[in-house]
Amino acid sequence: MTDQNRSRRLTTASGKPYVENENSKSVGARGPLLLEDFILHEKLAHFNRERIPERVVHAKGTGAFGTFTVTHDITRYTKAKLFSEIGKQTKLFLRFSTVGGEKGSADTERDPRGFAIKFYTEDGNWDLVGNNTPVFFIKDPKKFPDFIHTQKRDPRTNCKSATMMWDFWSLNPESLHQVMILMSDRGTPYSYRHLDGFGSHTFSLINANNERVWVKFHFKTLQGIKNFTAEEAVEMKGKDPDFAQRDLVEAIDKKDFPKWAMKIQVMTDEEAQAFPWNPFDLTKVWPHGDFPLHDVGILELNQVPRNYFAEVEQSAFAPAHVIDGISYSPDKMLQGRILSYTDAQRYRLGGNYEQIPVNRCPFMVANHQRDGLMAVNGNGEDTPNYFPNSFDDIYVDESYTEPAVELDSAVAGWFDRNGANDNDHYSQPAALYNKVMNDYERHNLVANIVDAMSGISGEKKDIIINRQLCHWFRVDMSLGMAIAKGFGIDINAVMQHAPKQQAELV
């Protein structure tokens, strides 16, 4: 293939050239996404169908049933029935997972950990689908398939590629915050019991007066944070690649039930409007000093599934599944996941995946959906399959109407996800490095980064390494110097790839 043949215009699968491959079409720079952006839908829908039958991401995991018990009153914020009174218990199912590996990969791989909860409430199932980190690598869903491709296997070698990973990260500084967490010891948790969980996205809570606030959900492990070092993780990978799975099952069997404290951060709409950056940006956190954690309740896991395939492998989660009193936000990644997760589950398990026992709402379900593969709930029997009709008693309960959301713009277009006030990718990683990590954690972070980046190879190796080094220098001068020293790199060579002001700083 000649160089001329390598140069090809970007098109859709049907051959239509298009321009916006990174920014989704939205109502204003911070508004919700538009259904008409079919490029977003095409990318996500095709991405969901790239693997069968295992999950495209989060393929390796484990799960358990448990309960959530309310300990503090938050009814001033939400009318959701599971929070209606102190002491109220709700059954749940929680699935942990690694993100990038296949179903047979090791539990101790350096990777984020999925933290997905299905609450079985009387107003339907609420799926809170997050990770063990409060942030993520990207802030626009159109970039998700590209990002995950870099975490999978090289098309030519069929091996994991450090070059692909760091090439993408170095070209997307918005990923820096999450990359720092991943490269710390929190990237190799000791077990699923010893990590925190996060809803990660911004959601909204609606109270009985139809007043809305923005919210972030946190789950603090009561077992304490415990991590493997890089060396310990590699050693356990050889000893027992299913260590986290075994650890969870054995703990519950011994009645050493794992527990997490649910807490929330709350932000009013007025505070969101005045916030110095986009509060719906998934690559950033809300400072706890400004938005403190409020206690809500205790989550406990106390029942191992009787059959792994039936209840863990077939469990299906989707951020689209919210309940009365809990709703969405303009978080662009959340908006994309509302579409893609339900699409992925229909592809993986079929259009009737919510009839599978682990996914089925244990309370009333009434609609006019019929037929399709594996319709196992009686398929509506002889009742009508259309609405409205004169024969059944299914009605619309107007009391569940959500209040309207006031948008900040009437202009629809493709807005730069890193536009004004949204392009600071370094302040929060700097705070993580200088204010949260101790000397031991900083030492391990540098060692893990040097080890991970040492896998970069090929003719673009020096360019990718130097480009990423410039990001580390922007986070903190001592961090950049320590990583460069680990590589034995000439700082003058690095500065050739840095903006002028950064070169002068060094």
Side-chain angles (χ1 to χ4, degrees), residues 118-142:
K118 187 181 294 293
F119 296 89
Y120 301 100
T121 88
E122 54 265 57
D123 269 343
N125 293 344
W126 171 36
D127 290 351
L128 187 59
V129 191
N131 288 319
N132 69 324
T133 58
V135 295
F136 195 60
F137 298 92
I138 52 176
K139 61 174 72 175
D140 192 294
K142 197 174 280 186

PDB file of all heavy atoms in Angstrom, residues 118-142:
ATOM      1  N   LYS A 118     -27.731  -2.470  40.727  1.00  0.00           N
ATOM      2  CA  LYS A 118     -29.145  -2.508  40.340  1.00  0.00           C
ATOM      3  C   LYS A 118     -29.976  -2.530  41.625  1.00  0.00           C
ATOM      4  O   LYS A 118     -29.956  -3.517  42.371  1.00  0.00           O
ATOM      5  CB  LYS A 118     -29.449  -3.734  39.488  1.00  0.00           C
ATOM      6  CG  LYS A 118     -30.860  -3.750  38.909  1.00  0.00           C
ATOM      7  CD  LYS A 118     -31.120  -5.011  38.088  1.00  0.00           C
ATOM      8  CE  LYS A 118     -30.277  -5.084  36.853  1.00  0.00           C
ATOM      9  NZ  LYS A 118     -30.617  -4.044  35.844  1.00  0.00           N
ATOM     10  N   PHE A 119     -30.691  -1.430  41.903  1.00  0.00           N
ATOM     11  CA  PHE A 119     -31.583  -1.355  43.049  1.00  0.00           C
ATOM     12  C   PHE A 119     -32.981  -1.780  42.595  1.00  0.00           C
ATOM     13  O   PHE A 119     -33.542  -1.198  41.654  1.00  0.00           O
ATOM     14  CB  PHE A 119     -31.658   0.080  43.590  1.00  0.00           C
ATOM     15  CG  PHE A 119     -30.359   0.617  44.139  1.00  0.00           C
ATOM     16  CD1 PHE A 119     -29.452   1.268  43.316  1.00  0.00           C
ATOM     17  CD2 PHE A 119     -30.052   0.483  45.486  1.00  0.00           C
ATOM     18  CE1 PHE A 119     -28.271   1.776  43.811  1.00  0.00           C
ATOM     19  CE2 PHE A 119     -28.870   0.988  46.006  1.00  0.00           C
ATOM     20  CZ  PHE A 119     -27.965   1.640  45.162  1.00  0.00           C
ATOM     21  N   TYR A 120     -33.549  -2.786  43.272  1.00  0.00           N
ATOM     22  CA  TYR A 120     -34.893  -3.272  42.927  1.00  0.00           C
ATOM     23  C   TYR A 120     -35.926  -2.481  43.747  1.00  0.00           C
ATOM     24  O   TYR A 120     -36.293  -2.861  44.850  1.00  0.00           O
ATOM     25  CB  TYR A 120     -35.011  -4.763  43.227  1.00  0.00           C
ATOM     26  CG  TYR A 120     -34.009  -5.634  42.492  1.00  0.00           C
ATOM     27  CD1 TYR A 120     -32.859  -6.093  43.131  1.00  0.00           C
ATOM     28  CD2 TYR A 120     -34.204  -6.005  41.164  1.00  0.00           C
ATOM     29  CE1 TYR A 120     -31.941  -6.914  42.467  1.00  0.00           C
ATOM     30  CE2 TYR A 120     -33.303  -6.811  40.495  1.00  0.00           C
ATOM     31  CZ  TYR A 120     -32.167  -7.267  41.152  1.00  0.00           C
ATOM     32  OH  TYR A 120     -31.260  -8.057  40.495  1.00  0.00           O
ATOM     33  N   THR A 121     -36.399  -1.355  43.201  1.00  0.00           N
ATOM     34  CA  THR A 121     -37.312  -0.493  43.947  1.00  0.00           C
ATOM     35  C   THR A 121     -38.749  -0.681  43.472  1.00  0.00           C
ATOM     36  O   THR A 121     -38.998  -1.196  42.378  1.00  0.00           O
ATOM     37  CB  THR A 121     -36.921   0.992  43.803  1.00  0.00           C
ATOM     38  OG1 THR A 121     -37.558   1.558  42.651  1.00  0.00           O
ATOM     39  CG2 THR A 121     -35.417   1.174  43.678  1.00  0.00           C
ATOM     40  N   GLU A 122     -39.683  -0.217  44.283  1.00  0.00           N
ATOM     41  CA  GLU A 122     -41.103  -0.366  43.931  1.00  0.00           C
ATOM     42  C   GLU A 122     -41.512   0.544  42.782  1.00  0.00           C
ATOM     43  O   GLU A 122     -42.611   0.400  42.239  1.00  0.00           O
ATOM     44  CB  GLU A 122     -42.001  -0.117  45.153  1.00  0.00           C
ATOM     45  CG  GLU A 122     -41.771   1.204  45.849  1.00  0.00           C
ATOM     46  CD  GLU A 122     -40.817   1.093  47.035  1.00  0.00           C
ATOM     47  OE1 GLU A 122     -39.683   0.635  46.839  1.00  0.00           O
ATOM     48  OE2 GLU A 122     -41.220   1.466  48.157  1.00  0.00           O
ATOM     49  N   ASP A 123     -40.648   1.478  42.401  1.00  0.00           N
ATOM     50  CA  ASP A 123     -40.913   2.316  41.232  1.00  0.00           C
ATOM     51  C   ASP A 123     -40.070   1.885  40.033  1.00  0.00           C
ATOM     52  O   ASP A 123     -39.867   2.659  39.093  1.00  0.00           O
ATOM     53  CB  ASP A 123     -40.616   3.787  41.555  1.00  0.00           C
ATOM     54  CG  ASP A 123     -41.837   4.519  42.083  1.00  0.00           C
ATOM     55  OD1 ASP A 123     -42.953   3.994  41.898  1.00  0.00           O
ATOM     56  OD2 ASP A 123     -41.681   5.589  42.683  1.00  0.00           O
ATOM     57  N   GLY A 124     -39.601   0.646  40.065  1.00  0.00           N
ATOM     58  CA  GLY A 124     -38.776   0.135  38.979  1.00  0.00           C
ATOM     59  C   GLY A 124     -37.336  -0.035  39.405  1.00  0.00           C
ATOM     60  O   GLY A 124     -36.936   0.354  40.503  1.00  0.00           O
ATOM     61  N   ASN A 125     -36.550  -0.637  38.534  1.00  0.00           N
ATOM     62  CA  ASN A 125     -35.138  -0.847  38.827  1.00  0.00           C
ATOM     63  C   ASN A 125     -34.335   0.412  38.528  1.00  0.00           C
ATOM     64  O   ASN A 125     -34.477   1.019  37.467  1.00  0.00           O
ATOM     65  CB  ASN A 125     -34.581  -2.003  37.991  1.00  0.00           C
ATOM     66  CG  ASN A 125     -35.180  -3.339  38.379  1.00  0.00           C
ATOM     67  OD1 ASN A 125     -35.787  -3.484  39.439  1.00  0.00           O
ATOM     68  ND2 ASN A 125     -35.018  -4.330  37.510  1.00  0.00           N
ATOM     69  N   TRP A 126     -33.483   0.772  39.476  1.00  0.00           N
ATOM     70  CA  TRP A 126     -32.567   1.895  39.299  1.00  0.00           C
ATOM     71  C   TRP A 126     -31.161   1.334  39.114  1.00  0.00           C
ATOM     72  O   TRP A 126     -30.643   0.659  39.988  1.00  0.00           O
ATOM     73  CB  TRP A 126     -32.627   2.832  40.497  1.00  0.00           C
ATOM     74  CG  TRP A 126     -31.559   3.907  40.495  1.00  0.00           C
ATOM     75  CD1 TRP A 126     -31.055   4.554  39.422  1.00  0.00           C
ATOM     76  CD2 TRP A 126     -30.889   4.436  41.646  1.00  0.00           C
ATOM     77  NE1 TRP A 126     -30.097   5.475  39.812  1.00  0.00           N
ATOM     78  CE2 TRP A 126     -29.975   5.417  41.177  1.00  0.00           C
ATOM     79  CE3 TRP A 126     -30.961   4.183  43.017  1.00  0.00           C
ATOM     80  CZ2 TRP A 126     -29.147   6.142  42.032  1.00  0.00           C
ATOM     81  CZ3 TRP A 126     -30.139   4.904  43.872  1.00  0.00           C
ATOM     82  CH2 TRP A 126     -29.253   5.873  43.384  1.00  0.00           C
ATOM     83  N   ASP A 127     -30.560   1.592  37.951  1.00  0.00           N
ATOM     84  CA  ASP A 127     -29.190   1.150  37.677  1.00  0.00           C
ATOM     85  C   ASP A 127     -28.238   2.321  37.840  1.00  0.00           C
ATOM     86  O   ASP A 127     -28.325   3.311  37.091  1.00  0.00           O
ATOM     87  CB  ASP A 127     -29.072   0.618  36.241  1.00  0.00           C
ATOM     88  CG  ASP A 127     -29.789  -0.699  36.033  1.00  0.00           C
ATOM     89  OD1 ASP A 127     -30.243  -1.290  37.035  1.00  0.00           O
ATOM     90  OD2 ASP A 127     -29.903  -1.139  34.878  1.00  0.00           O
ATOM     91  N   LEU A 128     -27.349   2.220  38.805  1.00  0.00           N
ATOM     92  CA  LEU A 128     -26.293   3.217  38.983  1.00  0.00           C
ATOM     93  C   LEU A 128     -24.999   2.568  38.506  1.00  0.00           C
ATOM     94  O   LEU A 128     -24.449   1.687  39.170  1.00  0.00           O
ATOM     95  CB  LEU A 128     -26.191   3.637  40.444  1.00  0.00           C
ATOM     96  CG  LEU A 128     -25.237   4.798  40.744  1.00  0.00           C
ATOM     97  CD1 LEU A 128     -25.630   6.047  39.972  1.00  0.00           C
ATOM     98  CD2 LEU A 128     -25.193   5.086  42.238  1.00  0.00           C
ATOM     99  N   VAL A 129     -24.534   2.978  37.338  1.00  0.00           N
ATOM    100  CA  VAL A 129     -23.473   2.259  36.632  1.00  0.00           C
ATOM    101  C   VAL A 129     -22.222   3.129  36.594  1.00  0.00           C
ATOM    102  O   VAL A 129     -22.117   4.060  35.792  1.00  0.00           O
ATOM    103  CB  VAL A 129     -23.907   1.898  35.198  1.00  0.00           C
ATOM    104  CG1 VAL A 129     -22.920   0.923  34.567  1.00  0.00           C
ATOM    105  CG2 VAL A 129     -25.317   1.307  35.192  1.00  0.00           C
ATOM    106  N   GLY A 130     -21.275   2.849  37.484  1.00  0.00           N
ATOM    107  CA  GLY A 130     -20.076   3.669  37.572  1.00  0.00           C
ATOM    108  C   GLY A 130     -18.807   2.849  37.656  1.00  0.00           C
ATOM    109  O   GLY A 130     -18.762   1.681  37.263  1.00  0.00           O
ATOM    110  N   ASN A 131     -17.774   3.474  38.212  1.00  0.00           N
ATOM    111  CA  ASN A 131     -16.458   2.846  38.347  1.00  0.00           C
ATOM    112  C   ASN A 131     -15.922   3.076  39.754  1.00  0.00           C
ATOM    113  O   ASN A 131     -16.597   3.670  40.597  1.00  0.00           O
ATOM    114  CB  ASN A 131     -15.474   3.437  37.314  1.00  0.00           C
ATOM    115  CG  ASN A 131     -15.757   2.982  35.896  1.00  0.00           C
ATOM    116  OD1 ASN A 131     -16.068   1.813  35.661  1.00  0.00           O
ATOM    117  ND2 ASN A 131     -15.668   3.898  34.952  1.00  0.00           N
ATOM    118  N   ASN A 132     -14.683   2.647  39.966  1.00  0.00           N
ATOM    119  CA  ASN A 132     -14.034   2.911  41.245  1.00  0.00           C
ATOM    120  C   ASN A 132     -13.269   4.225  41.194  1.00  0.00           C
ATOM    121  O   ASN A 132     -12.404   4.482  42.033  1.00  0.00           O
ATOM    122  CB  ASN A 132     -13.090   1.766  41.620  1.00  0.00           C
ATOM    123  CG  ASN A 132     -11.874   1.681  40.714  1.00  0.00           C
ATOM    124  OD1 ASN A 132     -11.970   1.934  39.512  1.00  0.00           O
ATOM    125  ND2 ASN A 132     -10.725   1.334  41.277  1.00  0.00           N
ATOM    126  N   THR A 133     -13.571   5.060  40.207  1.00  0.00           N
ATOM    127  CA  THR A 133     -12.946   6.375  40.083  1.00  0.00           C
ATOM    128  C   THR A 133     -14.038   7.424  39.881  1.00  0.00           C
ATOM    129  O   THR A 133     -15.047   7.149  39.237  1.00  0.00           O
ATOM    130  CB  THR A 133     -11.977   6.429  38.886  1.00  0.00           C
ATOM    131  OG1 THR A 133     -12.688   6.113  37.679  1.00  0.00           O
ATOM    132  CG2 THR A 133     -10.842   5.431  39.068  1.00  0.00           C
ATOM    133  N   PRO A 134     -13.835   8.637  40.387  1.00  0.00           N
ATOM    134  CA  PRO A 134     -14.864   9.672  40.236  1.00  0.00           C
ATOM    135  C   PRO A 134     -14.826  10.360  38.881  1.00  0.00           C
ATOM    136  O   PRO A 134     -15.710  11.167  38.586  1.00  0.00           O
ATOM    137  CB  PRO A 134     -14.516  10.664  41.354  1.00  0.00           C
ATOM    138  CG  PRO A 134     -13.031  10.530  41.516  1.00  0.00           C
ATOM    139  CD  PRO A 134     -12.715   9.082  41.252  1.00  0.00           C
ATOM    140  N   VAL A 135     -13.808  10.066  38.063  1.00  0.00           N
ATOM    141  CA  VAL A 135     -13.662  10.710  36.751  1.00  0.00           C
ATOM    142  C   VAL A 135     -13.453   9.638  35.693  1.00  0.00           C
ATOM    143  O   VAL A 135     -13.362   8.450  35.997  1.00  0.00           O
ATOM    144  CB  VAL A 135     -12.472  11.700  36.745  1.00  0.00           C
ATOM    145  CG1 VAL A 135     -12.738  12.853  37.694  1.00  0.00           C
ATOM    146  CG2 VAL A 135     -11.161  10.995  37.094  1.00  0.00           C
ATOM    147  N   PHE A 136     -13.348  10.083  34.415  1.00  0.00           N
ATOM    148  CA  PHE A 136     -13.114   9.140  33.319  1.00  0.00           C
ATOM    149  C   PHE A 136     -12.129   9.760  32.338  1.00  0.00           C
ATOM    150  O   PHE A 136     -11.712  10.906  32.471  1.00  0.00           O
ATOM    151  CB  PHE A 136     -14.440   8.790  32.633  1.00  0.00           C
ATOM    152  CG  PHE A 136     -14.358   7.567  31.750  1.00  0.00           C
ATOM    153  CD1 PHE A 136     -14.003   6.334  32.292  1.00  0.00           C
ATOM    154  CD2 PHE A 136     -14.612   7.642  30.396  1.00  0.00           C
ATOM    155  CE1 PHE A 136     -13.907   5.201  31.494  1.00  0.00           C
ATOM    156  CE2 PHE A 136     -14.526   6.518  29.583  1.00  0.00           C
ATOM    157  CZ  PHE A 136     -14.168   5.298  30.139  1.00  0.00           C
ATOM    158  N   PHE A 137     -11.714   8.981  31.334  1.00  0.00           N
ATOM    159  CA  PHE A 137     -10.671   9.387  30.405  1.00  0.00           C
ATOM    160  C   PHE A 137     -11.124  10.438  29.394  1.00  0.00           C
ATOM    161  O   PHE A 137     -10.304  11.169  28.851  1.00  0.00           O
ATOM    162  CB  PHE A 137     -10.170   8.168  29.616  1.00  0.00           C
ATOM    163  CG  PHE A 137      -9.542   7.101  30.462  1.00  0.00           C
ATOM    164  CD1 PHE A 137     -10.294   6.043  30.956  1.00  0.00           C
ATOM    165  CD2 PHE A 137      -8.188   7.135  30.768  1.00  0.00           C
ATOM    166  CE1 PHE A 137      -9.719   5.041  31.724  1.00  0.00           C
ATOM    167  CE2 PHE A 137      -7.599   6.143  31.534  1.00  0.00           C
ATOM    168  CZ  PHE A 137      -8.359   5.098  32.021  1.00  0.00           C
ATOM    169  N   ILE A 138     -12.400  10.494  29.086  1.00  0.00           N
ATOM    170  CA  ILE A 138     -12.914  11.366  28.036  1.00  0.00           C
ATOM    171  C   ILE A 138     -14.191  12.029  28.524  1.00  0.00           C
ATOM    172  O   ILE A 138     -14.796  11.601  29.507  1.00  0.00           O
ATOM    173  CB  ILE A 138     -13.192  10.585  26.725  1.00  0.00           C
ATOM    174  CG1 ILE A 138     -14.076   9.366  27.012  1.00  0.00           C
ATOM    175  CG2 ILE A 138     -11.890  10.181  26.047  1.00  0.00           C
ATOM    176  CD1 ILE A 138     -14.489   8.601  25.779  1.00  0.00           C
ATOM    177  N   LYS A 139     -14.599  13.081  27.809  1.00  0.00           N
ATOM    178  CA  LYS A 139     -15.781  13.824  28.227  1.00  0.00           C
ATOM    179  C   LYS A 139     -16.872  13.870  27.167  1.00  0.00           C
ATOM    180  O   LYS A 139     -17.921  14.466  27.396  1.00  0.00           O
ATOM    181  CB  LYS A 139     -15.384  15.254  28.618  1.00  0.00           C
ATOM    182  CG  LYS A 139     -14.756  16.060  27.495  1.00  0.00           C
ATOM    183  CD  LYS A 139     -14.512  17.516  27.899  1.00  0.00           C
ATOM    184  CE  LYS A 139     -13.370  17.649  28.899  1.00  0.00           C
ATOM    185  NZ  LYS A 139     -13.075  19.081  29.170  1.00  0.00           N
ATOM    186  N   ASP A 140     -16.631  13.273  25.992  1.00  0.00           N
ATOM    187  CA  ASP A 140     -17.641  13.237  24.933  1.00  0.00           C
ATOM    188  C   ASP A 140     -17.785  11.802  24.444  1.00  0.00           C
ATOM    189  O   ASP A 140     -16.782  11.150  24.146  1.00  0.00           O
ATOM    190  CB  ASP A 140     -17.233  14.143  23.766  1.00  0.00           C
ATOM    191  CG  ASP A 140     -18.381  14.358  22.778  1.00  0.00           C
ATOM    192  OD1 ASP A 140     -18.788  13.375  22.119  1.00  0.00           O
ATOM    193  OD2 ASP A 140     -18.860  15.496  22.666  1.00  0.00           O
ATOM    194  N   PRO A 141     -19.017  11.277  24.356  1.00  0.00           N
ATOM    195  CA  PRO A 141     -19.207   9.862  24.016  1.00  0.00           C
ATOM    196  C   PRO A 141     -18.764   9.492  22.612  1.00  0.00           C
ATOM    197  O   PRO A 141     -18.528   8.318  22.322  1.00  0.00           O
ATOM    198  CB  PRO A 141     -20.716   9.650  24.189  1.00  0.00           C
ATOM    199  CG  PRO A 141     -21.313  11.013  24.008  1.00  0.00           C
ATOM    200  CD  PRO A 141     -20.306  11.953  24.598  1.00  0.00           C
ATOM    201  N   LYS A 142     -18.627  10.473  21.726  1.00  0.00           N
ATOM    202  CA  LYS A 142     -18.201  10.158  20.375  1.00  0.00           C
ATOM    203  C   LYS A 142     -16.773   9.620  20.358  1.00  0.00           C
ATOM    204  O   LYS A 142     -16.355   8.944  19.429  1.00  0.00           O
ATOM    205  CB  LYS A 142     -18.330  11.390  19.479  1.00  0.00           C
ATOM    206  CG  LYS A 142     -18.309  11.066  17.994  1.00  0.00           C
ATOM    207  CD  LYS A 142     -18.575  12.299  17.141  1.00  0.00           C
ATOM    208  CE  LYS A 142     -20.045  12.629  17.068  1.00  0.00           C
ATOM    209  NZ  LYS A 142     -20.317  13.744  16.117  1.00  0.00           N
TER     210      LYS A 142
END
